[in-house]
Structures are given as C-alpha cells and as structure tokens.
Amino acid sequence: QVQLVESGGGLVQAGGSLRLSCAASGRAFSNYAMGWFRQAPGKEREFVAAINWSGGITNYADSVKGRFTISRDNAKNTGYLQMNSLKPEDTAVYYCTAGPNYDLGPTGPWPTWGQGTQVTVSS
C-alpha cells in the first residue's frame, strides 16, 4: 500500500559522503516507521538504521553508528540516509523499507521494500 523508490546511490571514494533518498507514495507515510538495510555481494541482508513515525526515535547498527544519520521529512513523504566517512565495506545495494512502529530493529517487521540503490565506495 506504500510504494518506495530509492535514489542517490553512486560511486564515491573512501572518506566521502552520499545522501540516499527514499520517496514514498501511497497512503499515510507519516504513520510508518522507516528503515534502511543493505546487502553486499556474498553477504546476507544487513540492518543499517531505522526511524519511528515522528522522527523522534532512531536506531543504528554498530557498524554505521557515528557515520550515518537517518532522517525523514513527512511533509515531503521522503526519508533520508546521510552517509559520511564512507568505507569500502559500505559497498552494497541499499534498500529502503517501511513498517509498523512495533520495533526499530532488524525484525521490525518490515513488510514494504523499495528496489534498492547501489552504493560503491572505492579505496
């Protein structure tokens, strides 16, 4: 019922920054928690960050804490992931997801997904 489209991925050198966007359409985006996962080649999908419906509560994986910032602008129906101090190990397809506000961790649940955007960090 909510459709998600990621954008903002690309190629960047180590130490650089990117901002990913997740544009939502459908209904009641402001009622959903929003999250980001990523999947690197040869690895399982990994939880990155999540934010509750109002933006007042956030959660981050230890691997990105202090470097990435999740945010949302409900008036624009858009979520964001600001990624700073990027490392080659951040290379992955990044997926935006939305779900109820039961939990902001990996098990959400997260029933709605975008198609992903590629982030490649070179050394």
Side-chain angles (χ1 to χ4, degrees):
Q1 293 185 318
V2 174
Q3 293 77 50
L4 305 173
V5 179
E6 301 95 334
S7 63
L11 276 65
V12 64
Q13 291 185 323
S17 298
L18 286 172
R19 188 178 75 162
L20 306 183
S21 297
C22 176
S25 62
R27 67 182 188 93
F29 173 75
S30 63
N31 290 342
Y32 291 86
M34 191 202 72
W36 292 91
F37 287 71
R38 65 187 182 185
Q39 187 165 20
K43 297 187 66 177
E44 295 184 345
R45 186 184 64 177
E46 177 188 24
F47 172 78
V48 176
I51 188 167
N52 79 326
W53 69 272
S54 69
I57 305 173
T58 58
N59 188 36
Y60 296 92
D62 288 342
S63 60
V64 306
K65 188 174 180 64
R67 299 188 298 120
F68 291 9
T69 302
I70 188 170
S71 63
R72 66 191 300 162
D73 187 339
N74 287 339
K76 297 181 178 179
N77 296 321
T78 303
Y80 304 96
L81 184 68
Q82 177 68 46
M83 305 185 295
N84 298 327
S85 301
L86 283 163
K87 305 174 180 180
E89 51 263 45
D90 295 319
T91 295
V93 177
Y94 283 71
Y95 297 93
C96 178
T97 185
N101 292 275
Y102 300 157
D103 187 83
L104 297 180
T107 61
W110 303 106
T112 302
W113 297 85
Q115 292 299 120
T117 185
Q118 176 71 49
V119 172
T120 302
V121 183
S122 65
S123 60

